[in-house]
Amino acid sequence: MYDGKRLIQRYNYIVYHFENGGRYFWARAYLDDAGKVALYGPFGSRDAKQPLSGALDEDVLAYLRRRFRKVETLSGGGYVTVR
């Protein structure tokens, strides 16, 4: 993000998209803390992103756990580590 020609904010991250069993999840990992990822969902679809009730997808979690030491999700009180 620039203010004129001066850089004031820099974000370097990777976004993952998952669709499994009719549910959509996405995750974001900032490269300055590459051992941690935040997972969001489930949603009805990638376009609508209407929240669905239900648990996190175990296949998605298994994939993320192979890559990241810490997987977090957003709850009402902030980010919590997924066990």
Side-chain angles (χ1 to χ4, degrees):
M1 192 186 256
Y2 286 88
D3 181 11
K5 292 188 178 196
R6 187 174 71 101
L7 179 66
I8 57 173
Q9 291 181 355
R10 178 180 165 189
Y11 297 103
N12 193 7
Y13 57 88
I14 298 171
V15 175
Y16 296 85
H17 299 274
F18 304 95
E19 293 183 41
N20 195 13
R23 301 185 311 156
Y24 169 75
F25 298 85
W26 70 277
R28 178 172 43 213
Y30 287 93
L31 297 181
D32 62 339
D33 190 2
K36 179 173 72 172
V37 66
L39 176 62
Y40 304 92
F43 299 103
S45 73
R46 183 174 179 165
D47 295 327
K49 289 194 180 127
Q50 295 174 332
L52 299 176
S53 62
L56 297 173
D57 187 281
E58 289 301 320
D59 293 335
V60 171
L61 287 173
Y63 174 84
L64 292 173
R65 286 179 177 138
R66 285 192 299 270
R67 169 62 179 87
F68 300 97
R69 290 186 313 271
K70 187 175 193 180
V71 179
E72 296 180 325
T73 189
L74 187 59
S75 71
Y79 286 92
V80 295
T81 301
V82 177
R83 304 234 179 256

